[in-house]
Amino acid sequence: MGVVEFLRASDYRGRVVTAILYLNKSDWDSGGELRVFDHHGKGEERDEKGIDIIPTGGKLILFDSSKVEHQVLASYGDDPRYALTCWVNGILT
């Protein structure tokens, strides 16, 4: 386990929910996808391929920050990528 994976696994930030609202055009095709990884179960290796979510305008993504490992892929082209992100901190019970 690398440093990044350790920090994510240890829940060092206290984030429990992440919400992302994409503010791009509805026909967005300039990259910048959100890639989410599936661990299949506690302690298991993550699926390195992941699932890519295209950041089309108006799309709202909600996920459990303490369980879903993710990354944002590079965007390209002339149009900037816009997203409004909100984190909810706390403890899930």
Side-chain angles (χ1 to χ4, degrees):
M1 179 183 300
V3 173
V4 173
E5 289 82 10
F6 169 77
L7 291 173
R8 287 182 177 148
S10 66
D11 195 24
Y12 73 103
R13 296 172 292 203
R15 296 177 185 162
V16 294
V17 175
T18 297
I20 304 171
L21 175 62
Y22 292 109
L23 307 173
N24 305 309
K25 296 177 184 175
S26 60
D27 60 347
W28 178 264
D29 65 350
S30 298
E33 293 87 354
L34 174 69
R35 179 168 289 167
V36 295
F37 300 97
D38 185 3
H39 284 271
H40 304 292
K42 190 170 181 81
E44 293 185 22
E45 292 293 318
R46 79 175 189 189
D47 174 12
E48 289 297 326
K49 190 165 77 169
I51 298 168
D52 293 346
I53 299 169
I54 299 170
T56 53
K59 186 178 289 182
L60 175 64
I61 306 294
L62 298 167
F63 60 89
D64 183 337
S65 309
S66 66
K67 295 182 181 173
V68 178
E69 196 170 336
H70 66 283
Q71 73 182 80
V72 177
L73 303 180
S75 58
Y76 48 84
D78 295 330
D79 293 329
R81 177 185 173 278
Y82 294 106
L84 177 64
T85 304
C86 177
W87 296 288
V88 177
N89 295 330
I91 300 171
L92 288 177
T93 56

